[in-house]
Amino acid sequence: MTITDATTTDVVAELGRLGVADVDDSTLTRALYSTDASLYRVVPRVVVRPRSTEEVLATVAACRTTGVPLTSRGAGTSIAGNAVGPGVVLDFTRHLNRVLDIDVEARTARVEPGTVHAVLQKAATPLGLRFGPDPSTHTRCTVGGMIGNNACGSRALAYGRTADNVVGLDVVTMRGEELTLGHGASATPSSTLDDLRSLVGANLSTVRTELGTFGRQVSGYSLEHLLPENGFDVARFMAGTEGTLATMTSTTVRLVQDPPHRQVLVLGYASMAEAADDVPALLPFGPTACEGLDSRIVDVYRTHRGTVPDLPRGQGWLFVEISGEVPAEIADTVAQAARAASALDHRVVTDGGEQAVLWRIREEGAGLATRTLPGKALSGWEDAAVPPEKLGRYLRELDALLRENDLDGVPYGHFGDGCVHIRIDFPLDAEGGHQVFRRFLTDAATQVASLGGSLSGEHGDGRARSELLPLMYSGEAISLFEQVKAVLDPDDLLNPGVLVRPAAVDADLRGPESIHSPGREHLSRRLGLRLLHDDGDLGKAVHRCTGVGKCIADNAGSNGVMCPSFQATREEKDSTRGRARVLQEMIDGRLVTGGFRAPEVHEALDLCLACKGCLNDCPTGTDMASYKSEVLHQSYEGRLRPRSHYVLGRLPFWARVTAPVAWLANLGLRTPGLRSVARWVAGVDQRRSLPAFATRRFSRTARPVRTDDRPRVVIWADSFTEYFSTDGGQAALRVLDGAGYDVEVLGRPQCCGLTWITTGQLDTARTMIGRAIEQLHPYVAAGVPVVGLEPSCLAVLRSDAVELVDDPRAVEVAQGVFTLSELLQRTEGWRPPDLTGTTLVVQPHCHQASVLGFEADLAVMTATGATIDRVSGCCGLAGNFGVEKGHYEVSVAVAEQQLMPAVRNAPAGALVVADGFSCRTQLDDLAAVQAVHLAQVLDSATAR
């Protein structure tokens, strides 16, 4: 059977015959794997997630038999397009992700290819060891993927590239030959390796003069490892071959000891080029890292993430990390380096917390850089490297080349190694944009080659640079690469289009297709949301996701929220990235057809909790909660909706209608038969309890103390405080009164429309938001602060309102509403009560973490003297999500990730604090824990 004869059915049948279990050729899964973190889109035929080495071997055999290409994939964070392919995509992360063994004496670890870097570090750290290379994606990239691309990271100066840390590899070739590779010959006789040795022996001059010329030369095949003087180390040679020569089944890597102490010397410069000029003067001091960072990236972090440690003056910085055993010696070296530098100014950072923030900014550089330019900042010319002594010249020439092409870019990267990352505003969606892209890449590659550099310094060549390799290497070297491929993969089935016989750099480009583009009329209806940051274009909005994959990282202990359902299911479709991919394919319209009503779209979005974690946690600011609302709005406009949309999606309306007879409604909800019927009508899972209505509305029972000589404040009674959980409102009244305010409660509560937004009933939500703004704006305009108690409702005023209503007053209201803690923090003379000896287990609402910010709440609680146990992640209920039929198991699984263990392990007498009504309901439902609002904590402590 030839490659053109095999159908998808043939491949699936052969995989099944050979016993491969997890095989998926559905449109949904193919959409999920159609791209990685690069600009390239290649739709696979089949995705296989092997459960064992035997299944990897079987998949290779099936591809050999059917003639269908095979592409290995780790976390899918490849920026060069190394992890997309037209045949079978082999995803190792789902099952083959274990640390198999750590040998402390030998300082090695044996792991499966899908093992996440952070998982290996977590296993090695208690033993006093670490895996040296540390890419910025270390929380989700896999060791197999690092080997495939020869990844490096910020501390390659100290620990080398991945190739320098590979001890052994177990692989299978497309011929079916299983090889154990290391330094010297294979553990088993191999004619393939004999042929490879002979080939290198016949081309020693080419290998010695063109390959391995400096540390970050990653482009092409690193044949220097096969030289006789280097011991014919095939394991190290395989690093950087990008899955084009063999398929990995396990690897043994070297571990190192991490120095116990470190300081970071931050040097400020007038430009990034001047920072680069200083690198050669700093390298003699033996830094473990020497990173360059542009001020524009820091500005984006400050705007969207929060506080940045003080930095020296300048428009660009070097972060120079000096590590060692003796703090005094480190300090002396840092002082010497500071004197040797030509910086405008410098600062030494010794505090571990500040260092962590600096490295976080650097780690998120790829995502943050996409938000630094007025237009879309894209990868494509991503990680070229030159010898460090030529780095300043390279940056100046690169800047000139950008200007010649009317482009802009933000450089940063591993300056100590001469490796530069940059995101550029390529006009791919404009007429002639692809030609601009191609011309720039060709000229940039020529420029780098003239400086003795490498087109890739750590990400591999992939589809982004493989075609350009003849600009860097001689014809003899290119021919040698082809001969190597012929020895190990004669039928060209492994990752075709990469390195050898490459695809064109401008082929298969994906882009931010507009929903108004020709051929997409089925998507061109007026949007319900304004999508202000994306010019009102959903195509641009969903292409915010560049695939860096922070959403698939384990967020335990990180204070992160993003993708709670992915944390529970570990399914790609439940990540922000996976959902964005499906929405991108929906707009593209070739694979996912049917527009907003496509079943693949609704399956991908079904488990989105609308937590808005991605709005904050995702470096690119992807807002999946809003996109889900838009999809639901478009899908059901003028159509019958699910029952839950009419009941849970309009809950505040039903609560207002029920308020006069709340006691009777509560009686009915406690009656078994009626309770079951009520759940069915509402679309609620029968295992869920139903919260009781308050028998007296908050605004009707509030007794604020009014005086004329105190500053005014207004409590906005959201629907949950008004109709369900009034205790927090009453406590807030007393706290604000005690803080010296003239407190007013709105006599005519106005709903923000939250539940209508999350269920995609945007037209009604727009009307409700308009009414809320109408009511609140006079207070805000008069300088009277408005306090909201329910985080999700307050977040609507801070964020969603301006996306729904084209009214300048919405912006003013967003700036004039506050959480209780935000107001108390700025209240002169207010002091929190003393809670010394009390433990507070605190579950921040997702919208506190993602929209409002939690710093003020944390500061207020810390000031009480209490011990704070802050829980990361989501509670799992998230408004209507967790109670809807079909979501119960995932809702509980999300709660079990972090919240429930924290509550179970809390010391006796601890208070569980949760401002969100959903969070308190989840805790009551699953653990019979009566959590309280922060206002209640402050009130009860003051009343003692």
Side-chain angles (χ1 to χ4, degrees):
M1 181 179 291
T2 67
I3 191 170
T4 55
D5 293 333
T7 66
T8 299
T9 302
D10 295 327
V11 182
V12 171
E14 184 65 11
L15 288 165
R17 188 185 69 81
L18 295 174
V20 182
D22 196 343
V23 178
D24 195 337
D25 64 340
S26 67
T27 300
L28 172 61
T29 297
R30 294 169 66 215
L32 295 171
Y33 288 83
S34 61
T35 188
D36 45 20
S38 72
L39 296 179
Y40 297 94
R41 173 188 180 271
V42 180
V43 180
R45 297 195 200 184
V46 181
V47 174
V48 173
R49 289 168 284 220
R51 298 174 182 271
S52 64
T53 297
E54 290 71 27
E55 288 197 358
V56 175
L57 302 178
T59 302
V60 170
C63 289
R64 181 173 64 251
T65 300
T66 59
V68 170
L70 176 65
T71 298
S72 295
R73 176 179 170 118
T77 55
S78 162
I79 295 178
N82 329 59
V84 291
V88 173
V89 168
L90 194 61
D91 179 3
F92 285 94
T93 58
R94 180 65 171 156
H95 305 296
L96 294 181
N97 52 24
R98 298 173 299 165
V99 177
L100 300 173
D101 176 63
I102 293 181
D103 187 328
V104 176
E105 185 175 346
R107 293 188 181 178
T108 60
R110 190 166 68 92
V111 303
E112 294 176 320
T115 303
V116 171
H117 179 283
V119 172
L120 174 56
Q121 294 293 50
K122 187 176 180 179
T125 298
L127 303 174
L129 300 171
R130 63 165 288 159
F131 183 48
D134 58 346
S136 61
T137 54
H138 61 89
T139 58
R140 61 270 193 195
C141 72
T142 65
V143 175
M146 291 177 64
I147 293 171
N149 293 351
N150 199 4
C152 301
S154 298
R155 294 182 175 84
L157 283 174
Y159 304 124
R161 305 161 299 177
T162 298
D164 303 315
N165 293 274
V166 174
V167 176
L169 285 177
D170 291 319
V171 302
V172 55
T173 69
M174 193 47 80
R175 291 175 168 176
E177 190 174 13
E178 297 178 54
L179 301 173
T180 297
L181 307 175
H183 189 79
S186 170
T188 55
S190 168
S191 60
T192 299
L193 295 188
D194 291 341
D195 292 344
L196 186 60
R197 188 192 298 269
S198 298
L199 181 60
V200 172
N203 293 272
L204 293 176
S205 176
T206 299
V207 176
R208 286 174 174 147
T209 57
E210 295 197 47
L211 298 163
T213 60
F214 75 106
R216 284 293 183 124
Q217 184 178 352
V218 170
S219 283
Y221 291 146
S222 298
L223 291 164
E224 70 273 13
H225 296 299
L226 301 182
L227 289 169
E229 59 266 32
N230 291 331
F232 192 68
D233 196 327
V234 187
R236 294 180 66 180
F237 156 70
M238 280 291 178
T241 57
E242 304 180 37
T244 62
L245 300 181
T247 302
M248 194 185 317
T249 57
S250 72
T251 181
T252 300
V253 295
R254 179 170 66 98
L255 302 177
V256 297
Q257 282 188 317
D258 215 7
H261 305 287
R262 62 188 74 237
Q263 294 183 12
V264 177
L265 171 63
V266 184
L267 299 163
Y269 299 87
S271 69
M272 294 303 293
E274 290 175 66
D277 290 337
D278 236 7
V279 168
L282 298 167
L283 293 180
F285 296 98
T288 51
C290 181
E291 298 292 290
L293 201 65
D294 189 283
S295 62
R296 288 172 286 184
I297 292 176
V298 175
D299 290 342
V300 170
Y301 183 93
R302 186 180 287 112
T303 299
H304 296 282
R305 296 286 189 277
T307 305
V308 173
D310 291 336
L311 296 172
R313 59 193 173 94
Q315 295 302 305
W317 297 279
L318 290 179
F319 295 173
V320 183
E321 182 183 81
I322 306 292
S323 304
E325 301 290 333
V326 182
E329 293 178 359
I330 298 172
D332 182 61
T333 303
V334 167
Q336 293 181 53
R339 289 192 295 270
S342 302
L344 298 173
D345 197 1
H346 76 274
R347 181 185 173 220
V348 179
V349 179
T350 58
D351 179 74
E354 284 193 308
Q355 290 181 10
V357 174
L358 294 179
W359 289 122
R360 181 184 175 189
I361 297 171
R362 171 57 193 86
E363 287 174 2
E364 294 191 3
L368 295 171
T370 65
R371 308 168 76 173
T372 54
L373 303 176
K376 186 76 170 177
L378 305 171
S379 62
W381 185 249
E382 173 56 35
D383 66 317
V386 297
E389 63 272 16
K390 298 180 181 179
L391 183 58
R393 176 183 168 188
Y394 168 62
L395 286 178
R396 291 181 177 88
E397 292 183 1
L398 178 63
D399 185 60
L401 185 60
L402 287 166
R403 291 197 304 271
E404 288 173 17
N405 288 274
D406 196 25
L407 298 172
D408 195 4
V410 181
Y412 64 100
H414 314 297
F415 278 27
D417 290 298
C419 182
V420 177
H421 299 305
I422 187 168
R423 292 298 171 102
I424 299 172
D425 56 350
F426 294 117
L428 295 183
D429 54 347
E431 185 176 353
H434 284 210
Q435 289 82 355
V436 172
F437 178 76
R438 181 178 184 82
R439 181 174 65 249
F440 177 85
L441 261 60
T442 301
D443 291 346
T446 302
Q447 179 188 84
V448 164
S450 71
L451 296 174
S454 177
L455 308 187
S456 171
E458 66 177 344
H459 291 157
D461 296 305
R463 295 170 180 272
R465 289 177 286 273
S466 292
E467 187 195 2
L468 305 173
L469 288 176
L471 298 174
M472 175 180 168
Y473 290 115
S474 68
E476 289 79 9
I478 297 297
S479 174
L480 183 55
F481 294 162
E482 294 172 352
Q483 294 173 70
V484 169
K485 174 80 165 174
V487 168
L488 285 151
D489 180 26
D491 295 323
D492 199 15
L493 293 178
L494 291 175
N495 214 3
V498 174
L499 289 172
V500 172
R501 290 177 288 281
V505 295
D506 55 344
D508 302 315
L509 288 172
R510 66 178 176 92
E513 294 89 352
S514 169
I515 62 172
H516 306 295
S517 299
R520 297 181 177 86
E521 292 82 2
H522 61 296
L523 298 170
S524 61
R525 294 164 55 189
R526 183 180 65 85
L527 295 179
L529 295 171
R530 299 171 68 201
L531 299 179
L532 295 173
H533 296 293
D534 298 287
D535 303 319
D537 194 318
L538 185 61
K540 290 182 179 180
V542 299
H543 274 278
R544 272 184 171 272
C545 174
T546 59
V548 294
K550 191 181 177 187
C551 51
I552 64 170
D554 185 350
N555 65 16
S558 68
N559 297 329
V561 177
M562 185 163 47
C563 288
S565 53
F566 177 83
Q567 299 296 321
T569 69
R570 311 307 295 183
E571 291 283 355
E572 180 74 18
K573 72 177 180 64
D574 299 322
S575 68
T576 298
R577 178 179 72 177
R579 292 173 179 130
R581 292 293 175 257
V582 175
L583 290 174
Q584 289 166 11
E585 290 294 337
M586 174 196 79
I587 289 170
D588 179 85
R590 286 174 287 176
L591 178 63
V592 174
T593 59
F596 292 105
R597 297 177 185 175
E600 296 88 355
V601 171
H602 286 263
E603 185 176 350
L605 292 174
D606 179 51
L607 296 184
C608 172
L609 284 78
C611 67
K612 282 191 177 286
C614 48
L615 178 63
N616 181 69
D617 293 353
C618 173
T620 66
T622 298
D623 185 2
M624 194 54 61
S626 292
Y627 310 156
K628 179 178 181 178
S629 293
E630 186 64 55
V631 167
L632 294 175
H633 169 71
Q634 298 289 346
S635 297
Y636 291 111
E637 189 168 18
R639 298 176 65 220
L640 190 67
R641 288 174 168 270
R643 293 194 306 276
S644 64
H645 287 200
Y646 295 108
V647 181
L648 299 175
R650 302 178 183 179
L651 184 61
F653 167 78
W654 295 115
R656 178 164 55 85
V657 170
T658 305
V661 290
W663 66 273
L664 183 60
N666 290 337
L667 179 63
L669 294 178
R670 289 195 296 268
T671 304
L674 291 176
R675 185 171 59 219
S676 297
V677 171
R679 288 195 189 104
W680 181 88
V681 170
V684 172
D685 190 284
Q686 292 293 334
R687 289 165 287 188
R688 281 292 183 188
S689 64
L690 297 171
F693 296 98
T695 54
R696 298 190 68 190
R697 294 166 54 176
F698 168 61
S699 62
R700 300 287 177 84
T701 59
R703 296 288 186 271
V705 178
R706 302 293 304 278
T707 62
D708 294 330
D709 59 348
R710 300 197 299 177
R712 294 172 64 197
V713 66
V714 173
I715 292 181
W716 170 49
D718 59 86
S719 297
F720 299 101
T721 303
E722 176 74 0
Y723 298 113
F724 292 97
S725 183
T726 63
D727 290 346
Q730 299 289 355
L733 275 173
R734 291 187 289 270
V735 170
L736 289 171
D737 177 50
Y741 283 99
D742 179 358
V743 189
E744 179 181 345
V745 177
L746 292 183
R748 182 172 56 86
Q750 179 58 55
C751 180
C752 66
L754 170 66
T755 58
W756 281 265
I757 294 171
T758 57
T759 53
Q761 302 178 74
L762 298 183
D763 291 335
T764 304
R766 185 177 297 104
T767 300
M768 300 176 76
I769 283 284
R771 292 172 182 164
I773 291 170
E774 184 77 33
Q775 186 184 32
L776 295 174
H777 184 261
Y779 295 98
V780 171
V784 178
V786 176
V787 171
L789 300 175
E790 169 57 42
S792 57
C793 296
L794 190 58
V796 170
L797 297 180
R798 284 268 184 93
S799 175
D800 299 278
V802 295
E803 290 287 351
L804 280 163
V805 180
D806 186 9
D807 185 340
R809 295 179 301 174
V811 177
E812 295 177 31
V813 169
Q815 296 169 346
V817 295
F818 304 91
T819 67
L820 177 63
S821 294
E822 287 172 338
L823 183 62
L824 290 174
Q825 262 206 311
R826 71 180 207 172
T827 301
E828 187 175 350
W830 181 79
R831 294 290 181 271
D834 186 359
L835 289 173
T836 303
T838 302
T839 296
L840 303 180
V841 178
V842 184
Q843 169 66 39
H845 190 283
C846 292
H847 292 164
Q848 283 177 300
S850 59
V851 177
L852 304 175
F854 194 64
E855 292 78 11
D857 299 78
L858 193 60
V860 166
M861 286 184 278
T862 300
T864 67
T867 300
I868 311 298
D869 178 8
R870 177 180 176 175
V871 182
S872 297
C874 178
C875 75
L877 195 67
N880 58 293
F881 173 86
V883 299
E884 285 181 334
K885 186 174 176 60
H887 294 165
Y888 181 80
E889 286 79 7
V890 171
S891 175
V892 173
V894 170
E896 288 290 349
Q897 291 291 305
Q898 298 180 61
L899 175 59
M900 300 310 294
V903 171
R904 292 191 197 103
N905 296 329
L911 291 176
V912 180
V913 184
D915 282 4
F917 178 73
S918 291
C919 304
R920 297 195 298 272
T921 301
Q922 180 81 310
L923 284 161
D924 187 23
D925 217 20
L926 301 184
V929 169
Q930 300 299 309
V932 294
H933 193 284
L934 177 59
Q936 294 171 270
V937 176
L938 299 176
D939 178 48
S940 61
T942 303
R944 291 177 185 173

